Amino acid sequence: METYLKHKKLVALGFLLIHAIAILIFTRGFLLTRTELPIHSTCSDVSLSPCLASPRPNHDSSSGQSNQTQPKCWTKPVVDRVIIIVLDALRIDFVAPSVFFPEPKPWMDKLTILQKLAFANESSAKIFKAFADPPTTSLQRLKGLTTGGLPTFIDVGNSFGAPAIVEDNFINQLVLNGKRLVMMGDDTWTQLFPNQFQKSYPFPSFNVKDLDTVDNGCIEHLFPTLYKDDWDVLIAHFLGVDHAGHIYGVDSSPMINKLEQYNSVLEKVINILENQAGPGGLHENTMLIVMGDHGQTLNGDHGGGTAEEVETTMFAMSTKKHTTLVPPEFDTSSCKQNTDGKQICISSIEQLDFAATLSALLGISYPFGSIGHVNPELYALGSSSWNLDNSDLGNFGTQSAAKEWMKNYVNVLCVNAWQVKRYIDVYSNSSVVGFSSDDMSRISDLYSAAEQNWSSSVKHILMDGNGDEGSTNISALLKEQIAAYLNFFSSVVELARSKWTEFNLNLMITGFGILVISLILQFLAVFHGDKSYAEGSWLSTGAAFTLFIVTIRACSFLSNSYILEEGKVANFLLATTGLIKLRYAVMRKTMRKEAFMFLAMVSVLRVSIDIGLTKQAATSQFMSSSPSWMLGIAPDHPALTYAIEIAPILSVVILICVLYIAIAKAPSEGLWKYVTVGSMVSYLFIALLWASESKILGLDGLLQVTGGRNRIPQTVYVIGLVQLCLLASARMFCAEKDKNWAIRAVALVSACSSPVILLSGKQGSMLALVYLVAGYCIMRLEGVERRTTSDGQSKFSKLNPLCVMQWSLLSICMFFASGHWCAFDGLRYGAAFVGFDEFVLIRQAILLTIETFGFSVILSVFGLPLLVPIHSQTPQAHGEKRHQLFQMYMLSGVISATTVTATILCVTIQRRHLMVWGLFAPKFVFDVVGLILSDLLICLASAYHL
């Protein structure tokens, strides 16, 4: 038996390796990055285009503007300097007036300086509603903004360690064209663009609990830099709003304070620009852009593709006061009446167009891989740099200015369209998959039609700058040409968004096939040597019912609606198994109380899952807002306030009592009990921490006495590490002396539980209590079945898969009940900083993993041995128990692997689905990480117990 079990330990390791290989192969086929071409645009490239190097200006060269109208690269520059202020996670309702939304909210109308400038008469400023492409992580949005390309899903994994961008980008083009860059704020910029900034003041960006360090650093360097003339492009990236959202949510005082601070900063920036905007001034021809890289939910999360996350905003202002009106055919304005009866308008822009538009404004070559187009309204704001004579300020002059703008804009679009068509051709020829011949033919036809019209008429109009004959006809031709180019751009973007990702079906099918084979082998390993398994009618019925539940859950992943409601589905299936157990208990006239208690715990988890789906569980408002709307109690009701403060601490006290009873009744002595006592000490520290944070207990001074708010969490972590070391030592030196693995399992679970409860927040202790009661009921109900189905000699029965299925479903319910969901905006980044203020990648990644998978994987795997019966302590029974524990671990692995296999099949079938990157791919990532972590922990648990 010992030799047999030693081989079984290697089996668990073997399945871990097989799963890792299968997932790696599939991932290589599914999460491929877009092919990044190592080609960079140069100024000389434009000679290959059919466009004009520069449209001939209508102004006399003696006007002093001849130097400005001459192109420096592809198009003539429109502005001299650009200031880009990025306010991370800037929602559209932070900037746009509240009249554009159904009802006013406390966080609206705080950036009043931007609204004042945008809606002033004859203003040279405008507010845009900007649309980002998901996934909406900061890394991908910065990459998309600067390259002009669509993001790729695989880059989400690099969000905590951004690699340098090798693809051609806006920053690279600025440097190649001799522009001087200054950056301050989020250090992601220096990671993406190393050695590209003439001056940089980066600050660490991943401590979400720190709302001020990055912002204060930006403010410290921003104002002095505005008075200097040693830069052409200034980038300041503020993070306070993003961090306030993650920690406190949008509807919070810290968020409103941050917005008010930003309003003061922007007001001062604008005053500096306006004071130096006169003739010969430092900012005579400067453009200010205030923008968000993405939005955020009311919960403060982002990363997905919901409207709140992809809708952000942009404010643009030119220091020149006379701007050209965009023809109504190309105006995207949406207008409302404010409280004063004045009509106010905001426009819209795709972030995809940012790189091309800024390149055109500064007169540099566009990034080679950009598929965006020059936005007409943002480009028109800079058109004020074309100074007109005073006589041009009349109506006739306004028409002339509009026509002059269209002449310049149509030539800019000509260069833009040629560049996009060039990139699409090169990409399709260079990429492994590329675009289909039908798609390329359609794109080529659109471009050819636009180019033919350009060559036959529009080009001659631009080359002939004399007179205004046929002014109406010329304007119509120019508008028709602009519309043809915009139609071409929209078709290219539509094609790219639908077919951009390259799927390697051979690798995907290979990975899926390996996983299916491993699933079959793992299933055979479960019942290896149990030839009489099907003899018991109840056990065979339990196995069939388990297979039925696994199949139903696997099939549900083919529907995006069921994935969104995965927690509810798992809870329904768990309740179904509970009803089966209740029926069995009633028939046997025993354990009916445990059966009803189990169903009660399932109901509690159902309510918790509903709370989690409202996305309130991940915010600081979980403990106050959720019970209030469920119970119809006012949030500030005294009874609710006391319950919220006392319930978590009371739950910790109950957990301490349970551990005390467990070790008091255990017949064994030694390190196992001391480790469990250590967990009780950790629980006391957690209760002390929460008591010191309570508003009603009056123990605020405890934090200072204990050494600050980080000291207690760090103490809990240290105790946990010491416990794990003691358990490893006890396993090596004391395992043969003490074969009662119940106390060993309790010691291991308790050692791991304290960090999980701490990181989960005040809901953690209550969820742990529910988990404990539900698990106890499963164990008791399974014990009844074992006693009634075991043979009379060994008092030991064969494995019942239904109890393992229940344990697995319970773990899944715990994942969703603890406020998580399979999306990157469901990660609680604040948990990674419990006990620490500074960011260390490995440490914070470990803490985030523990918080995310603590209840659903870590405690689930280590707690599985508690389902094995402990009645008999004979050597034969002990060997049988070890064998059955191995079976349980293998069956648990089969259930997890089946889930991942179904998810892989789902994403393969739905790879062209509209929500593949917003829903199916995150589900795949979470399930894969969960499987690998589960396999790893099964290996460790097998080495610990077997």
Side-chain angles (χ1 to χ4, degrees):
M1 179 63 72
E2 292 298 323
T3 304
Y4 172 76
L5 288 173
K6 286 181 180 179
H7 289 133
K8 292 300 184 183
K9 297 176 186 178
L10 297 177
V11 171
L13 180 61
F15 282 120
L16 168 62
L17 296 177
I18 293 174
H19 290 162
I21 293 171
I23 290 169
L24 178 62
I25 293 174
F26 181 86
T27 303
R28 298 264 309 192
F30 175 59
L31 296 182
L32 285 178
T33 58
R34 170 174 51 86
T35 302
E36 297 183 350
L37 304 180
I39 305 175
H40 292 70
S41 299
T42 61
C43 289
S44 60
D45 293 344
V46 74
S47 61
L48 303 175
S49 76
C51 313
L52 298 178
S54 172
R56 184 175 301 171
N58 276 344
H59 315 303
D60 189 358
S61 59
S62 61
S63 64
Q65 299 297 319
S66 58
N67 290 335
Q68 182 180 351
T69 57
Q70 294 303 315
K72 292 184 178 179
C73 197
W74 285 9
T75 57
K76 68 179 182 180
V78 175
V79 297
D80 297 331
R81 308 174 105 192
V82 173
I83 301 169
I84 303 172
I85 297 179
V86 181
L87 305 181
D88 208 287
L90 189 68
R91 289 168 56 99
I92 176 63
D93 54 4
F94 287 167
V95 176
S98 56
V99 296
F100 284 91
F101 305 97
E103 57 179 317
K105 297 293 184 181
W107 59 84
M108 296 181 182
D109 299 325
K110 299 302 178 185
L111 299 178
T112 54
I113 183 62
L114 303 185
Q115 296 179 7
K116 175 183 176 182
L117 289 172
F119 306 130
N121 294 329
E122 298 183 1
S123 172
S124 58
K126 187 180 288 287
I127 292 175
F128 294 86
K129 182 178 184 179
F131 296 91
D133 289 289
T136 49
T137 56
S138 293
L139 164 67
Q140 287 174 291
R141 292 317 318 135
L142 294 184
K143 187 173 182 180
L145 283 166
T146 55
T147 62
L150 294 174
T152 50
F153 183 86
I154 195 66
D155 288 335
V156 173
N158 294 324
S159 289
F160 291 100
I165 294 179
V166 296
E167 192 176 9
D168 196 11
N169 56 81
F170 172 64
I171 301 297
N172 178 68
Q173 287 299 326
L174 288 172
V175 175
L176 291 178
N177 283 270
K179 301 294 184 181
R180 300 162 298 174
L181 282 73
V182 176
M183 190 285 305
M184 56 202 68
D186 187 348
D187 61 353
T188 304
W189 287 90
T190 55
Q191 297 174 41
L192 291 174
F193 310 103
N195 306 317
Q196 298 280 55
F197 300 102
Q198 182 170 305
K199 292 182 180 179
S200 62
Y201 308 98
F203 298 90
S205 57
F206 289 114
N207 186 355
V208 294
K209 295 195 297 183
D210 185 353
L211 308 186
D212 300 314
T213 298
V214 177
D215 290 358
N216 291 341
C218 284
I219 295 171
E220 178 186 354
H221 297 286
L222 175 60
F223 296 129
T225 305
L226 292 176
Y227 290 101
K228 299 178 181 178
D229 61 355
D230 59 350
W231 57 270
D232 300 300
V233 176
L234 185 154
I235 300 172
H237 192 144
F238 291 75
L239 287 173
V241 161
D242 179 67
H243 290 183
H246 282 305
I247 300 299
Y248 302 103
V250 170
D251 190 6
S252 63
S253 297
M255 177 65 76
I256 294 174
N257 293 338
K258 267 295 162 187
L259 293 174
E260 292 174 345
Q261 179 191 21
Y262 286 173
N263 188 66
S264 299
V265 171
L266 293 173
E267 188 171 14
K268 186 173 181 180
V269 168
I270 290 168
N271 287 336
I272 294 174
L273 296 181
E274 290 181 339
N275 290 336
Q276 301 186 61
L282 189 60
H283 296 293
E284 179 184 5
N285 190 20
T286 298
M287 175 167 282
L288 170 66
I289 296 177
V290 180
M291 61 185 297
D293 54 347
H294 50 74
Q296 60 176 302
T297 64
L298 291 178
N299 186 45
D301 297 318
H302 58 88
T306 65
E308 288 182 307
E309 294 167 286
V310 300
E311 292 178 2
T312 180
T313 186
M314 178 186 296
F315 167 86
M317 182 194 81
S318 172
T319 54
K320 292 286 186 178
K321 295 303 179 184
H322 301 293
T323 58
T324 304
L325 295 178
V326 176
E329 293 87 344
F330 314 118
D331 193 340
T332 62
S333 295
S334 172
C335 301
K336 297 278 187 181
Q337 280 192 342
N338 63 11
T339 53
D340 298 330
K342 180 181 178 181
Q343 190 177 44
I344 55 178
C345 304
I346 62 173
S347 300
S348 62
I349 186 174
E350 295 278 348
Q351 284 194 349
L352 188 67
D353 302 332
F354 180 79
T357 306
L358 265 290
S359 298
L361 287 170
L362 288 164
I364 62 175
S365 46
Y366 307 160
F368 183 83
S370 171
I371 59 172
H373 72 274
V374 178
N375 182 273
E377 293 166 282
L378 183 56
Y379 186 73
L381 283 177
S383 301
S384 58
S385 61
W386 301 326
N387 290 335
L388 301 174
D389 296 332
N390 291 334
S391 61
D392 285 342
L393 297 180
N395 183 57
F396 179 80
T398 302
Q399 295 178 359
S400 299
K403 188 173 69 173
E404 180 67 19
W405 173 84
M406 281 195 292
K407 287 182 179 181
N408 284 278
Y409 182 61
V410 76
N411 186 68
V412 166
L413 286 187
C414 177
V415 177
N416 194 178
W418 164 81
Q419 167 262 324
V420 171
K421 180 61 166 59
R422 176 182 68 161
Y423 169 67
I424 292 296
D425 289 340
V426 174
Y427 178 86
S428 189
N429 293 330
S430 304
S431 180
V432 177
V433 179
F435 298 110
S436 67
S437 57
D438 291 340
D439 291 329
M440 288 301 299
S441 176
R442 179 168 58 88
I443 294 298
S444 297
D445 290 343
L446 289 172
Y447 180 74
S448 297
E451 185 181 359
Q452 183 178 3
N453 187 58
W454 164 268
S455 301
S456 61
S457 57
V458 176
K459 186 175 183 179
H460 298 292
I461 294 174
L462 298 185
M463 294 178 67
D464 182 12
N466 297 324
D468 293 317
E469 295 182 4
S471 176
T472 303
N473 186 45
I474 290 176
S475 296
L477 287 174
L478 292 174
K479 291 177 181 178
E480 180 183 350
Q481 185 66 36
I482 292 173
Y485 282 136
L486 294 180
N487 186 33
F488 165 73
F489 290 126
S490 64
S491 298
V492 170
V493 172
E494 180 183 0
L495 173 63
R497 283 186 172 139
S498 63
K499 298 185 178 181
W500 197 259
T501 306
E502 300 174 0
F503 299 106
N504 189 324
L505 282 179
N506 291 330
L507 289 178
M508 293 172 70
I509 293 173
T510 301
F512 176 75
I514 295 175
L515 203 56
V516 170
I517 293 173
S518 73
L519 198 60
I520 296 172
L521 295 176
Q522 200 165 6
F523 183 80
L524 294 176
V526 172
F527 304 113
H528 177 69
D530 285 351
K531 297 180 180 179
S532 60
Y533 176 75
E535 291 179 0
S537 60
W538 163 247
L539 289 180
S540 60
T541 303
F545 189 67
T546 299
L547 180 62
F548 177 69
I549 291 177
V550 172
T551 304
I552 285 181
R553 186 163 182 270
C555 292
S556 70
F557 295 150
L558 293 172
S559 168
N560 63 317
S561 299
Y562 278 95
I563 292 178
L564 287 171
E565 304 290 346
E566 183 182 359
K568 293 182 180 179
V569 172
N571 186 265
F572 171 79
L573 296 175
L574 182 61
T576 304
T577 64
L579 292 174
I580 298 293
K581 295 281 186 165
L582 176 62
R583 175 181 176 273
Y584 185 83
V586 171
M587 290 174 59
R588 297 289 179 178
K589 297 182 179 180
T590 182
M591 296 295 177
R592 284 170 290 188
K593 182 168 53 176
E594 284 80 358
F596 281 111
M597 189 183 300
F598 178 74
L599 289 175
M601 293 301 101
V602 172
S603 300
V604 172
L605 290 176
R606 178 66 168 81
V607 174
S608 299
I609 291 171
D610 280 336
I611 296 173
L613 288 176
T614 65
K615 297 193 175 184
Q616 293 177 355
T619 71
S620 58
Q621 301 177 28
F622 165 75
M623 294 299 297
S624 57
S625 61
S626 301
S628 63
W629 64 258
M630 286 191 301
L631 303 177
I633 302 175
D636 58 349
H637 193 281
L640 181 61
T641 302
Y642 276 93
I644 290 170
E645 298 290 348
I646 298 300
I649 301 175
L650 181 61
S651 299
V652 173
V653 173
I654 295 174
L655 290 174
I656 294 174
C657 294
V658 170
L659 283 183
Y660 176 78
I661 294 172
I663 62 175
K665 290 185 176 182
S668 62
E669 301 290 341
L671 284 176
W672 317 107
K673 283 192 174 183
Y674 291 115
V675 168
T676 308
V677 171
S679 298
M680 296 167 63
V681 174
S682 293
Y683 288 170
L684 284 173
F685 277 121
I686 294 173
L688 181 64
L689 175 65
W690 291 344
S692 64
E693 294 175 347
S694 173
K695 300 177 182 178
I696 63 175
L697 298 180
L699 301 176
D700 300 349
L702 280 178
L703 285 180
Q704 283 70 31
V705 174
T706 56
R709 59 189 176 89
N710 290 335
R711 189 66 64 197
I712 291 179
Q714 291 173 1
T715 303
V716 172
Y717 300 149
V718 170
I719 292 175
L721 289 175
V722 172
Q723 286 176 298
L724 293 178
C725 292
L726 289 176
L727 288 174
S729 301
R731 175 64 183 88
M732 289 186 290
F733 302 112
C734 306
E736 297 303 321
K737 299 178 183 178
D738 189 352
K739 295 188 177 182
N740 183 358
W741 65 16
I743 188 63
R744 290 162 53 182
V746 169
L748 180 58
V749 171
S750 65
C752 296
S753 65
S754 50
V756 173
I757 292 173
L758 174 65
L759 293 172
S760 297
K762 291 187 177 181
Q763 61 172 341
S765 59
M766 295 183 289
L767 288 172
L769 192 58
V770 172
Y771 200 3
L772 175 66
V773 174
Y776 172 78
C777 293
I778 293 176
M779 180 178 64
R780 292 280 289 167
L781 292 170
E782 178 61 15
V784 174
E785 294 167 12
R786 289 182 181 277
R787 284 195 294 273
T788 56
T789 57
S790 61
D791 64 50
Q793 295 180 346
S794 66
K795 299 293 182 185
F796 200 83
S797 67
K798 301 297 180 181
L799 171 66
N800 180 7
L802 187 57
C803 71
V804 182
M805 185 72 242
Q806 279 187 304
W807 191 260
S808 176
L809 289 173
L810 178 61
S811 303
I812 296 166
C813 289
M814 290 300 300
F815 176 82
F816 292 96
S818 56
H820 298 98
W821 51 90
C822 293
F824 296 106
D825 58 352
L827 294 174
R828 295 192 206 156
Y829 299 104
F833 294 92
V834 174
F836 303 97
D837 291 325
E838 64 281 0
F839 178 78
V840 178
L841 178 61
I842 296 178
R843 181 182 64 201
Q844 263 58 55
I846 292 174
L847 292 178
L848 187 60
T849 302
I850 293 173
E851 194 280 332
T852 304
F853 297 102
F855 283 114
S856 59
V857 177
I858 299 174
L859 299 185
S860 173
V861 171
F862 289 152
L864 197 59
L866 296 174
L867 299 183
V868 180
I870 58 176
H871 304 294
S872 176
Q873 294 297 328
T874 64
Q876 180 183 0
H878 184 70
E880 289 283 350
K881 286 189 290 186
R882 295 174 69 188
H883 172 63
Q884 188 166 110
L885 178 58
F886 170 78
Q887 287 183 304
M888 293 181 111
Y889 275 133
M890 288 297 100
L891 182 57
S892 177
V894 167
I895 295 172
S896 299
T898 302
T899 299
V900 173
T901 304
T903 302
I904 283 179
L905 178 62
C906 165
V907 297
T908 302
I909 295 173
Q910 306 281 20
R911 64 188 183 278
R912 295 298 180 191
H913 192 279
L914 178 65
M915 299 182 68
V916 63
W917 302 124
L919 181 64
F920 294 108
K923 166 65 177 169
F924 164 75
V925 171
F926 273 79
D927 282 354
V928 162
V929 173
L931 176 63
I932 296 300
L933 181 60
S934 178
D935 285 346
L936 178 61
L937 295 179
I938 285 175
C939 291
L940 296 176
S942 299
Y944 179 73
H945 286 291
L946 300 181

